[in-house]
């Protein structure tokens, strides 16, 4: 792939999947999940990923070093980290903690000298406590746009009822009918394919008796069917289709990661978002990465990572994005073409493609997902109804003509403050989390400098 090897890395937006965990169950229709726990293997996978990322981006001798970023002590002004705190219980957050341990390992430099001259080093040899913002799906749709999304559930049902699904069910029936001895009573219907795969995969990793008894080709066959199943559930033929809702909801985090990098006053050079496998499927579909690389049209491995590198070309021009992906235990990142282009993609092209379909606010999500009850939608509906009622003053028609416009403006303002206070309404360029560093950048038209 043609890349400008002399361009300068400005910053990185990272998307990271959690590490190995115990098994859990997802409802095939709604993807409501049960609780589970991370394993020591999962902690180690994330720690190793963090160590790899450190060697790549926080190492001054690396060609991919992020200029100016601290290589020793964690600097909160340079980094932003958020983790999904809903899907798979606390597994994603715990994985993110292990990731940060690899990125910012313990150091004796993490110390303080007291007034009496005594030097105190942080526990565990200078352990660095890195702040991670947790994202509760009951309060924010940013990292789990699919949860409680009624139109997404309809999309899933329509897929199950499609002729393509029925054909696959017929083709795979004999194989699925051979699986009950290895599933401990779980359904072998194709609709349940995720749970079939997860149960077998977890036991193949952690149960020696199971791993020995399982026929050698079975897990690969099950994974192939699960990949097909999950990709079709979490993708859509249209970039803005509800099948991509997991990706549409996470887009503001990505776009604002680039905005933070480009902030000339207070740049945040590294943005990390810890998630489940689902947004990866949608993102690979939306960017065209999966269509160009069919092997990526499936469930990414534990501790997989996408690194969207923002780079400044050696010749004058706007910054470009490089799409790198490391699938779990892969040795290194692999660079992929995306958005039907070859090589690095101009930042403006990415924004033009993704910003129009990004789900920036809870209100937008409630509308797209036809939800009036969950994830802040009930509070939004209540505030709207109260605002509309207040905007109808019980006075004479003549009085209403004089006061109507003024009262409406006041009510709208009060609604805005109320919704912002409740965390329902987001007012920002791309509708993101609260920014620690106010300000944004303005993307210029082609031919103009940034």
């Amino acid at each position: 792939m043609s890349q400008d090897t002399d361009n300068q890395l400005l910053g990185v937006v990272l998307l990271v999947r959690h590490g190995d965990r115990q098994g859990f169950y997802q409802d095939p229709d709604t993807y409501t999940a049960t609780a589970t726990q991370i394993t020591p293997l999962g902690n180690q996978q994330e720690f190793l990923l963090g160590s790899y990322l450190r060697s790549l981006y926080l190492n001054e001798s690396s060609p991919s070093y992020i200029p100016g970023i601290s290589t020793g002590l964690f600097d909160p002004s340079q980094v932003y980290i958020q983790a999904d705190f809903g899907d798979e219980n606390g597994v994603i957050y715990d994985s993110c903690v292990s990731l940060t341990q690899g990125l910012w390992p313990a150091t004796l430099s993490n110390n303080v000298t007291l007034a009496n001259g005594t030097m105190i080093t942080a526990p565990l040899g200078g352990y660095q406590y890195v702040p991670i913002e947790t994202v509760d799906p009951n309060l924010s749709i940013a990292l789990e746009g699919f949860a409680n999304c009624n139109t997404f559930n309809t999309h899933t049902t329509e897929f199950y009822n499609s002729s393509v699904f029925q054909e696959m069910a017929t083709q795979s029936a004999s194989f699925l009918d051979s699986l009950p001895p290895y599933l401990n009573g779980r359904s072998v219907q194709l609709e349940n394919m995720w749970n079939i795969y997860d149960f077998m995969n977890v036991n193949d990793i952690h149960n020696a008796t199971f791993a020995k008894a399982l026929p050698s080709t079975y897990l690969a066959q099950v994974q192939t069917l699960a990949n097909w199943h999950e990709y079709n559930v979490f993708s859509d033929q249209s970039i803005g289709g509800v099948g991509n809702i997991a990706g549409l909801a996470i887009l503001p985090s990505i776009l604002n990661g680039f905005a933070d990098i480009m902030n000339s006053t207070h740049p945040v050079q590294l943005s990390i978002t810890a998630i489940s496998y689902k947004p990866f499927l949608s993102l690979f579909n939306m960017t065209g990465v999966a269509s160009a690389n069919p092997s990526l049209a499936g469930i990414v491995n534990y501790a997989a990572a996408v690194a969207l590198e923002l780079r400044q070309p050696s010749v004058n021009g706007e910054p470009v994005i490089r799409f790198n992906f490391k699938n779990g235990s892969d040795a290194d990142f692999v660079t992929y073409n995306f958005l039907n282009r070859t090589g690095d993609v101009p930042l403006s092209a990415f924004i033009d493609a993704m910003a129009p379909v990004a789900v920036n606010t809870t209100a937008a999500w409630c509308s797209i997902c036809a939800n009036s009850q969950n994830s802040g939608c009930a509070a939004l509906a209540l505030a709207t109804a109260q605002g509309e009622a207040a905007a109808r003053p019980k006075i004479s028609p003549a009085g209403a003509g004089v006061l109507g416009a003024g009262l409406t403006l006041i009510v709208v303002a009060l609604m805005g403050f109320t919704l912002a206070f409740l965390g329902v309404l987001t007012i920002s360029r791309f509708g993101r989390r609260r920014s620690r560093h106010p300000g944004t950048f303005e993307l210029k038209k082609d031919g103009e400098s940034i």
Side-chain angles (χ1 to χ4, degrees):
M1 299 179 188
S2 60
Q3 310 289 348
D4 183 352
T5 57
D6 296 326
N7 60 21
Q8 181 184 21
L9 182 63
L10 302 176
V12 183
V13 175
L14 282 168
L15 304 175
V16 180
R17 190 192 174 191
H18 60 80
D20 178 76
R21 43 129 182 91
Q22 297 176 2
F24 82 137
Y25 174 83
Q26 294 187 121
D27 185 297
D29 298 314
T30 65
Y31 280 79
T32 302
T34 59
T36 184
Q37 292 182 322
I38 196 169
T39 67
L41 171 60
N43 290 125
Q44 181 69 1
Q45 290 169 335
E46 293 293 322
F47 177 82
L48 291 175
L49 175 60
S51 299
Y52 169 77
L53 295 172
R54 175 178 175 79
S55 70
L56 194 65
Y57 296 124
L58 276 64
N59 174 11
E60 292 188 38
S61 62
S62 167
S64 295
Y65 169 66
I66 301 174
I69 199 166
S70 175
T71 60
L73 292 175
F74 175 80
D75 185 345
S77 70
Q78 297 177 323
V79 182
Y80 174 78
I81 308 172
Q82 63 177 346
D84 184 354
F85 203 59
D87 200 13
E88 307 189 46
N89 204 16
V91 167
I92 298 175
Y93 175 81
D94 292 341
S95 294
C96 195
V97 171
S98 295
L99 178 81
T100 63
Q101 290 172 341
L103 272 163
W104 295 279
T107 171
L108 295 178
S109 297
N110 190 15
N111 61 64
V112 62
T113 300
L114 305 182
N116 62 7
T118 304
M119 186 175 73
I120 303 297
T121 301
L124 303 175
Y127 183 90
Q128 300 197 63
Y129 297 84
V130 177
I132 301 171
E133 180 175 330
T134 57
V135 181
D136 184 343
N138 294 314
L139 302 175
S140 170
I141 53 86
L143 305 186
E144 289 190 27
F146 58 91
N148 298 313
C149 182
N150 296 321
T151 50
F152 173 75
N153 295 342
T154 300
H155 157 84
T156 303
T157 300
E158 290 174 348
F159 169 57
Y160 292 161
N161 291 332
S162 68
S163 59
V164 173
F165 188 89
Q166 299 305 320
E167 290 173 7
M168 181 63 77
T170 300
Q171 294 174 12
S172 59
S174 60
F175 170 67
L176 293 176
D177 287 343
S178 71
L179 296 180
Y182 312 102
L183 293 178
N184 195 27
R186 284 160 177 77
S187 168
V188 294
Q189 297 298 310
L190 184 60
E191 289 86 346
N192 200 43
M193 203 63 233
W194 158 262
N195 293 307
I196 294 172
Y197 165 68
D198 190 68
F199 179 82
M200 294 177 66
N201 184 54
V202 168
N203 279 278
D204 188 66
I205 294 172
H206 295 283
N207 186 327
T209 302
F210 178 92
K212 183 177 181 180
L214 187 68
S216 60
T217 63
Y218 271 32
L219 186 59
Q221 289 177 267
V222 165
Q223 183 172 5
T224 297
L225 286 171
N227 284 340
W228 177 84
H229 183 285
E230 295 302 286
Y231 183 73
N232 279 280
V233 169
F234 288 96
S235 66
D236 205 293
Q237 293 183 348
S238 168
I239 187 174
V242 74
N244 285 326
I245 191 64
L248 302 176
I250 205 173
L251 276 178
S253 293
I254 297 172
L255 293 168
N256 281 285
F258 292 137
D260 282 348
I261 294 170
M262 294 298 295
N263 187 319
S264 60
T265 305
H266 300 287
V268 177
Q269 298 165 285
L270 180 60
S271 176
I272 302 173
T273 298
I275 51 178
S276 70
Y277 70 92
K278 303 172 184 77
F280 286 97
L281 294 171
S282 298
L283 186 64
F284 288 177
N285 173 253
M286 294 161 61
T287 57
V289 170
S291 61
N293 305 274
S295 63
L296 297 185
I299 304 163
V300 299
N301 294 334
Y302 292 137
V306 165
L308 299 172
E309 298 180 349
L310 189 63
R311 293 175 170 270
Q312 182 63 51
S314 55
V315 295
N316 290 333
E318 70 168 290
V320 295
I321 301 170
R322 183 170 299 176
F323 193 113
N324 293 334
F325 176 59
K326 181 178 182 297
N327 199 7
S329 60
D330 289 352
D332 297 294
F333 276 121
V334 175
T335 300
Y336 292 93
N337 294 325
F338 67 112
L339 294 184
N340 296 318
R341 293 170 177 255
T342 300
D344 300 338
V345 172
L347 176 59
S348 62
F350 184 86
I351 293 176
D352 288 345
M354 297 299 166
V357 297
V359 179
N360 294 308
T361 66
T362 300
W365 182 89
C366 296
S367 176
I368 292 169
C369 291
N371 192 320
S372 60
Q373 298 298 321
N374 308 105
S375 304
C377 296
L380 177 64
L382 176 61
T384 301
Q386 290 175 338
E388 291 175 349
R392 295 192 292 270
K394 297 179 176 59
I395 59 177
S396 67
V402 175
L403 299 177
L407 285 174
T408 299
L409 290 174
I410 293 172
V411 168
V412 170
L414 289 174
M415 284 175 59
F417 284 120
T418 301
L419 294 175
F421 176 76
L422 291 172
V424 173
L425 180 64
T426 304
I427 305 172
S428 66
R429 181 176 173 85
F430 291 118
R432 75 174 306 181
R433 75 261 174 175
R434 297 182 307 275
S435 176
R436 292 191 296 268
H437 306 292
T440 184
F441 73 98
E442 180 182 355
L443 192 63
K444 305 296 183 181
K445 301 295 184 180
D446 292 344
E448 295 182 321
S449 60
I450 294 180

